[in-house]
Amino acid sequence: ATAFQSASAADLKSGLQVDDYPAAFNVTDVTGPRAGKKLCYRCQYGDRPVVSVFVRKMDENTAKLVKQIDEVVGKHEEKKMAAFVTVLTDDPDAQEAALKKTADEQKITHTPLTVFENAVGPTKYKIDEKASVTVMMWVDGNVKVNHAFADGDLSDAAIAKVVEDTSKILN
C-alpha cells in the first residue's frame, strides 16, 4: 500500500489543469512595480499570455527557472507576455528579504516576485501540498500548460521543458 502513496513527478497533479479558468487571487508584491502593495496580478494581466509560478521556497533551481522565464518574458514584450511568481508561505514577512536578494542576484526585471499569505495557496488553484513548484501558463483566460514538481524534481531538463512550453501561450 505504501508504494501507492509516493507519487512520481509525472503523477503529481497540482494547480489548474489544461482548459481550467484562472480565478482572481491577491498577493503582496515584493519586487514588482507595486512593491509593498496587495493586488491581483491575475486581474492585472487579463487575457495576456501569462506564466504563473507557485513555489514553496526560492532555492537555486527555482531561481534558475524564474530567471529563464523572466528572459522569455523580456523577449516577448511585443506580445504582452507576462509572468509572476507566488511564494506560498505562512510567514510572508520572512520571505521578503530572500525574494529581493534573488531578484537582484538573478537580475529578474520582468517578473514580479510575490507572496501569498498561507502555505496552501488560493483555494480554487488546488496547489498540491507535495508540489514544491507548480507552473501554470494561460492565455485568453484558459490554462494551456501545467507542470508540477515535488521537492528536488526541478532539474535542468525540467526547466528547459517548462521554458520550451512558453511557446504554447504565444499564438
Side-chain angles (χ1 to χ4, degrees), residues 25-29 37-41 84 86 114-116:
F25 66 96
N26 288 322
V27 294
T28 301
D29 191 348
K37 304 261 189 266
K38 275 194 181 222
L39 73 153
C40 174
Y41 271 114
F84 65 105
T86 305
T114 72
V115 291
F116 186 82

Side-chain angles (χ1 to χ4, degrees), residues 128-140:
D128 191 299
E129 64 186 22
K130 293 181 198 84
S132 179
V133 178
T134 302
V135 181
M136 292 161 277
M137 300 180 208
W138 59 74
V139 64
D140 297 325

Side-chain angles (χ1 to χ4, degrees), residues 33 41 58 68 78 83 101 106 127-128 131 154:
Y41 271 114
M58 190 60 75
Q68 290 185 33
E78 80 286 352
K101 182 178 177 198
Q106 300 293 325
I127 306 297
D128 191 299
L154 187 61

